Amino acid sequence: KLLITLYDQDAMFSLTCAYLVGQSTTSTSNLGIYKSMQRNIKVMSDLAKSENYLMRGPKDICEMFKKLPTTEHDPYNFTVDLVFYSEETVIITVTGVFREGTNSLLETERILGFARTFVLSKCINNEYKIINEQLHVSNATTVQQQRAFKIVKVNKPLALEIGKAKNLPEKIEMENAFKKLTNLNLEWSKKCLEDSEYDF
């Protein structure tokens, strides 16, 4: 339900795909499901049919996503670029890799590459809605395959425990150290150190 709210009522979406030859993923890549939905006018013999693969409106766009395999993206491999910006329009490109969900342990995990271009338009309430999106899917490059899903997110501790000062010199030293770490003034550093646990 959240996804559908991101698109403008007149939003358009199209998908293209291509095989990358000479990569470690070339032999195992299967873009069949993406090819069946792609809108590549370069290879279409009947351009009139191109309209069949241009999704219009949030409902049709989200219905198309439901037809695609379940996926898991690797955010640590994303690249993001702001291609164009004005007070009314923003164009953003995002590239990276994802892997498709498998139904059994016997299925080979497939890493695919993607490039998405979003055209966003400013609405009356100063929010942005997607008015046009283009998704391009390919088998991952050898380098993408090697780097994909290698970084494990480590959760940072939510709190830092600071022991109580044992004497006045130690207290003054802790206040000055806390002041340098937090860029707070000395008065606020003293107030913060009155408690022994602080969230950062």
Side-chain angles (χ1 to χ4, degrees), residues 44 64 169 187:
M44 283 185 173
M64 183 175 187
E187 182 183 347

Side-chain angles (χ1 to χ4, degrees), residues 12-69:
M12 293 184 289
F13 172 90
S14 62
L15 182 152
T16 58
C17 63
Y19 288 101
L20 302 178
V21 297
Q23 307 299 318
S24 61
T25 60
T26 304
S27 59
T28 58
S29 61
N30 180 3
L31 301 177
I33 184 68
Y34 306 100
K35 286 186 77 173
S36 69
M37 300 180 185
Q38 81 162 333
R39 184 178 188 263
N40 184 355
I41 60 175
K42 181 181 176 182
V43 298
M44 283 185 173
S45 56
D46 185 359
L47 290 180
K49 290 184 178 179
S50 67
E51 284 297 308
N52 298 338
Y53 301 99
L54 180 63
M55 302 298 107
R56 296 177 183 272
K59 185 178 178 182
D60 286 348
I61 292 170
C62 290
E63 285 300 317
M64 183 175 187
F65 282 130
K66 289 179 183 178
K67 296 175 184 177
L68 296 174

Side-chain angles (χ1 to χ4, degrees), residues 89-107:
T89 307
V90 178
I91 302 176
I92 299 170
T93 60
V94 182
T95 67
V97 295
F98 65 90
R99 58 185 169 199
E100 293 179 339
T102 56
N103 295 320
S104 74
L105 295 174
L106 299 176
E107 289 186 44

Side-chain angles (χ1 to χ4, degrees), residues 71-76 78 96-99 114 116 135 149:
T71 59
E72 179 187 1
H73 289 70
D74 182 359
Y76 295 101
F78 283 3
V97 295
F98 65 90
R99 58 185 169 199
F114 75 90
R116 296 179 82 165
L135 168 63
F149 298 96

Side-chain angles (χ1 to χ4, degrees), residues 10-196:
D10 298 316
M12 293 184 289
F13 172 90
S14 62
L15 182 152
T16 58
C17 63
Y19 288 101
L20 302 178
V21 297
Q23 307 299 318
S24 61
T25 60
T26 304
S27 59
T28 58
S29 61
N30 180 3
L31 301 177
I33 184 68
Y34 306 100
K35 286 186 77 173
S36 69
M37 300 180 185
Q38 81 162 333
R39 184 178 188 263
N40 184 355
I41 60 175
K42 181 181 176 182
V43 298
M44 283 185 173
S45 56
D46 185 359
L47 290 180
K49 290 184 178 179
S50 67
E51 284 297 308
N52 298 338
Y53 301 99
L54 180 63
M55 302 298 107
R56 296 177 183 272
K59 185 178 178 182
D60 286 348
I61 292 170
C62 290
E63 285 300 317
M64 183 175 187
F65 282 130
K66 289 179 183 178
K67 296 175 184 177
L68 296 174
T70 57
T71 59
E72 179 187 1
H73 289 70
D74 182 359
Y76 295 101
N77 272 291
F78 283 3
T79 65
V80 181
D81 192 14
L82 179 64
V83 179
F84 176 82
Y85 174 80
S86 72
E87 289 187 5
E88 302 300 325
T89 307
V90 178
I91 302 176
I92 299 170
T93 60
V94 182
T95 67
V97 295
F98 65 90
R99 58 185 169 199
E100 293 179 339
T102 56
N103 295 320
S104 74
L105 295 174
L106 299 176
E107 289 186 44
T108 304
E109 181 181 87
R110 297 195 309 126
I111 306 291
L112 298 171
F114 75 90
R116 296 179 82 165
T117 301
F118 301 93
V119 182
L120 299 98
S121 181
K122 195 173 186 180
C123 302
I124 298 173
N125 56 0
N126 286 329
E127 292 184 350
Y128 284 88
K129 295 273 188 180
I130 301 169
I131 59 170
N132 193 290
E133 178 184 355
Q134 202 278 328
L135 168 63
H136 181 76
V137 178
S138 65
N139 52 300
T141 66
T142 301
V143 173
Q144 284 178 323
Q145 170 90 355
Q146 291 168 346
R147 294 179 178 174
F149 298 96
K150 295 294 189 290
I151 299 176
V152 178
K153 183 179 179 182
V154 178
N155 292 324
K156 294 181 179 178
L158 297 177
L160 174 64
E161 189 172 316
I162 302 174
K164 295 284 188 183
K166 296 175 182 175
N167 49 51
L168 184 59
E170 191 174 298
K171 181 181 178 185
I172 294 171
E173 187 178 344
M174 287 176 69
E175 290 169 352
N176 287 322
F178 195 79
K179 177 180 178 288
K180 286 182 180 178
L181 281 171
T182 61
N183 288 324
L184 294 172
N185 62 35
L186 193 56
E187 182 183 347
W188 275 102
S189 296
K190 289 178 181 179
K191 287 180 181 179
C192 288
L193 284 171
E194 288 174 1
D195 195 352
S196 62

